[in-house]
Amino acid sequence: MPSEITPEEQAELDKALYDALNPLASAIRSRETGLPADRMWDANPAEVALSVLAAWKVVDVETKRLAERAAATAGSYGASYEQLGAVWGITRQGARKKWPDAVSRPTPAAAGRSTLALFGGTAELVQSPSGDWRWTGKGADGTSGTVADGTLYATAEEAAAHAGAFLKEHAPDIGHQS
């Protein structure tokens, strides 16, 4: 079942969303009217409301993209479609349809070797004969990397976590500001 939030958390979320939306809606409205910032809301109320709706559409598209990224990240760390569906409030089949590439299962022939694709880059995880794991990767920015100082990891998950951090560090700048 999806996580429920308290009324206080809902109020905080609403405020944060409106605070984030207002600059975007203002920018859209200003571009559409050509009015300076101090007059950009001087228009027919329906046109102003449509500018706000346009901003919500941008937020909706971005939210879906970020949810897809979160599902893929969870899947890369071993989450199942059943788990993804449970947190999203849908069935396992619904999660598989919504995020078809989020969960990949290595074939038995690939045991001891797997590929991690995150943030536009890829990393290969390889198990040594001793059972330890290492990784090599190429970030979306073209940077190649490998396990630092020949470090070996006890589990594939630990190697994947380090490889994932490398891929995140070498992801393209998507234009978000902190």
Side-chain angles (χ1 to χ4, degrees), residues 108-178:
R113 179 178 298 267
S114 64
T115 301
L116 179 67
L118 286 173
F119 307 109
T122 58
E124 184 176 15
L125 308 175
V126 179
Q127 188 174 28
S128 69
S130 66
D132 294 319
W133 288 85
R134 63 179 55 240
W135 64 268
T136 58
K138 185 167 189 173
D141 65 0
T143 303
S144 295
T146 189
V147 175
D149 303 324
T151 302
L152 297 175
Y153 301 103
T155 65
E157 293 80 10
E158 186 179 5
H162 289 272
F166 168 83
L167 294 174
K168 181 177 182 182
E169 181 179 331
H170 295 282
D173 179 14
I174 54 176
H176 292 289
Q177 299 175 358
S178 312

Side-chain angles (χ1 to χ4, degrees), residues 35-85:
L35 294 173
D38 63 337
R39 294 197 50 234
M40 69 186 140
W41 295 103
D42 294 347
N44 175 308
E47 291 174 9
V48 172
L50 288 170
S51 296
V52 173
L53 182 60
W56 280 120
K57 174 62 178 170
V58 171
V59 171
D60 181 55
V61 169
E62 183 65 7
T63 301
K64 287 177 182 171
R65 186 186 68 78
L66 292 172
E68 184 175 333
R69 180 185 285 179
T73 300
S76 75
Y77 288 119
S80 67
Y81 278 115
E82 184 175 355
Q83 291 170 308
L84 294 174

